[in-house]
Structure formats: structure tokens, C-alpha cells
Amino acid sequence: MDLLTGNLRKLFFKYLMPAIGSAVVAVIYGCIDTIAMGQGVGPDGTAGCAIFMPVFYTMDFLSVLFGTGGAVLYSKARGEGKKEKSNAFFTATVLFALTLSLLIWICLLLFQEPIYRFFGCDDHLLPFTRDYGLPIILAFPAFIFTGIFGSFVRNDENPNLVVTATVIGAVLNILGDWLFVFPLQMGMLGAGLATAIGGLSQCLILSFHFLRKKNSLRLVKPFRFLPACRKIIVNGFGAGFSNLAVIAIAFIINNQIMKYSGSDALAVYGMIGTISSLFMGIFNGIGQASQPIISSNLGAGQTDRCRHVFRLGMTTACIFGLLSAALCIAIPLPITALFMKMTPGVEAIAPFILSVYALSFFPLGINIFISMYLQSVMEARSAALIAILRGLGVSGILLYVLPLFLEGDGIWWAVAIAEYAVAVFAICYMIRYRRTHAA
């Protein structure tokens, strides 16, 4: 179906289901690992996973930075009818991502223990985090290029392959978690090994797209490489900053939890981080479904179609946000019991923490979609501003201020209040933007 002339509702849902499906199945990696560690190892395993979360967020950041940043430029060039230029952006994305990923990979391999301690790990939790993280860090580049290839393959009109790769990777991860953690009793190391196998297989399957006859992606001789890299960063930073900011927020939350509440609360946060990643994956999927349609039509000058897709995406994000919040508020204890062995300490605090944190899911959907829409219409600075506000500007301040008055409870209220404050700003900004811009 032609992105420039096809029925927008059909196009949107054609891309929506694979995008959400692949995003949700991708997050199942973390969900299954958290469940396996929580049930097979106990709350210490879940807390160890919480310490490792920033590494996952780093991988997500790089994937979104290069995947979205490069794919937006690729799609816009395709909409303008400039195929050679579109492939030049694809080539620049691959080369730039490969260089930066290798540098970060080396740092992770050399400085694992200092990084874990920086994110709140103590002597008791260090063995759990270290065993879990080692196989995943060894497979680090595969996770980055899984996200990048997924974005470009989706923009090259093959979204179903992205879903197929993600499903197969998730199935291998699930089977690996069961085999390594329970029958083979490998504990945290087994859960990490299962995740690494799933990520490697997913990246390999996506690579088969480049062998298809209908493949339009080509590695060509890059021209104006440095300016292209700058454009990739500018266009990808707004969408990726949400993941980057989560790293800073994880540092603050982990240390604040250990200061005010202790390891049981950190174990609950490890579970919440996984659940939150699931819903963020859904909201990112809504934005990713919209992006190829919006960017292509923007390049062709068809701004009315961009506005129509905005309405479809915003409505979908609000619906999923409400459902996500309602689910967690309605059954907090069964959700907690799914993820870990229930101890008296966890059972006493989990319902309150999960219910308060869940209030943030509705505005989270709004904030992520608006940021990704602005990214798709080349308003990278505005997208980055929203991401910075929700990631650090408001959350960072409240996470330090509210615990002074509410102690441990203030940590969870800070997250919810920050998302609502940023959502009000984002909606007001979009109203103003729509009055002054064609798209």
C-alpha cells in the first residue's frame, strides 16, 4: 500500500500491529528474565536486575538514536524521490552506530563493577548483577543493531519480518530462561545467557532482509558523512533521550530507594521497571507505526495526511495509557506475585508502590507519542525539549525534593507528578504548534 496515497487508517493499523507486536515481544525479554530471576533466585535476583537496567536503557538509547534518527531521514528522502540520498543516510547510520557502539562496548567490558556500583549496587547484590550482565554485555552490539535494522526494515515496507524476528528471539529467550535457570540451575548467569541468545538470533534474522529481491536498502559510498551524522543525532536525540534520561533517573531512583526504603523496595522497582518498559514499548510502537507515514508524506508536502495520522496516534496512545494504568491499579498483588516470590516485606509495600507508579502510564503515552511525532516532522529540538523535561528537568528535581517530606513514598509520587506536568506542557505546545505549522 502506497504511503503517499493509501488509506491512512488502513496504513496506520498495518504498521501499528507489527510495531506494537515487535515492541511488546522485545520487552518480553526483560519480563521473562525478571520472572525467572524473581521465581528462581528470589527478590535479590529482581533487585540485581534493577541494577542492570541502565545498561538495557543504554542499548535502547543507541537503538532509538540511530534507528529513528536515520530512518526519519531515510523516509523523508524516499518521499522526495531521492533513493541514492536515502541509502547514503542508511550507510552513514550503520557506520556511525558501529563506531560508537564498539567504544561503549569496550567500556562496559572493562568497567563492569564500577558501573554497577555507580547505579546503587552493594556488596550483597554485586554477584547477582555481575552474573546476569556478563553474557548480555558480550552480545551488546547485536542488541544495538537489532533496533537499528528493525527501524530501517520497517521503513523499507517489511514490518512483518521485524515481528517474526522478535517473536523467534523471544521464544528462544523464554525456552532458555526455563532451561538454564530451572533444570540446569544456572541462576542469574542462565537468565543473562538466554537473553543474549535471543538478541543474537533476532539480529541475524533481520539481516536476511538485505538478501530479499525487494530490498531497497543499500550500502553506498557515503557523501557529506559528518553532516549526515550530525543530522542523525539531531533527529534521533529527541526520541532517544527518553531512554538516555531513564539512565539518569535509574541512578537517582536506585540510590534514593537504598537510602530511604531498602532492598525490598528496590526489588519491587525492578519489577516496575520491567512493566514500565513494556508500556513504553507499546507507546514507542505507536510512534514507530506513525513515523514512516508521517515522514514520507512530509517529504511529499502532504501535510494534511500528517495531521490525520497525529489524531490516530494520539487517540491510540491515550487508550493504551488508560488501560495500562487501570490494569496495574486493579490487581497489584497478582502482578507482583507473577514476577517474584512473595515475602512479607514485598507483600506489604508492593500494592502502594505499583498503584502510585501506574498513575504515570497515561501521561507517559501522551508524552512519548508527541515527542516521536515532532521527531517525524523534523522538529527535533522540540522533541528533545519534551524528552529533557520528562527525563530530568522535572523528575530529577522531584525525586530529590519529595522524599525530604514523604520519605520513600515521595519517590513514587515524584514519577507520577512529573509525567502529568510534562504532559500538560506537551499538549499546550502541540496546540500552539498546530496553529502555526502546516503539519
Side-chain angles (χ1 to χ4, degrees), residues 57 60-61 64 236-249 280 284 364 367-369 371-372 375 383-384 386-392 419:
Y57 294 139
D60 288 341
F61 166 69
V64 174
F237 188 77
F241 187 84
S242 297
N243 302 95
L244 183 64
V246 171
I247 300 172
I249 294 301
M280 284 183 66
N284 279 316
L364 175 65
N367 293 334
I368 289 178
F369 179 74
S371 181
M372 294 194 73
Q375 202 77 32
I386 293 172
I388 290 170
L389 285 175
R390 67 170 295 266
L392 289 176
E419 289 291 354

Side-chain angles (χ1 to χ4, degrees), residues 16 82 88 169 185 203 217 280 283 300 306 343-344 378 392 412 416:
L16 178 66
K82 301 176 180 178
Q185 295 290 300
C203 186
L217 296 166
M280 284 183 66
F283 301 139
C306 297
T343 65
M378 310 296 287
L392 289 176
W412 318 112

Side-chain angles (χ1 to χ4, degrees), residues 99-110:
T99 302
L100 186 58
S101 297
L102 287 175
L103 292 174
I104 297 175
W105 189 29
I106 292 171
C107 290
L108 287 172
L109 289 170
L110 294 177

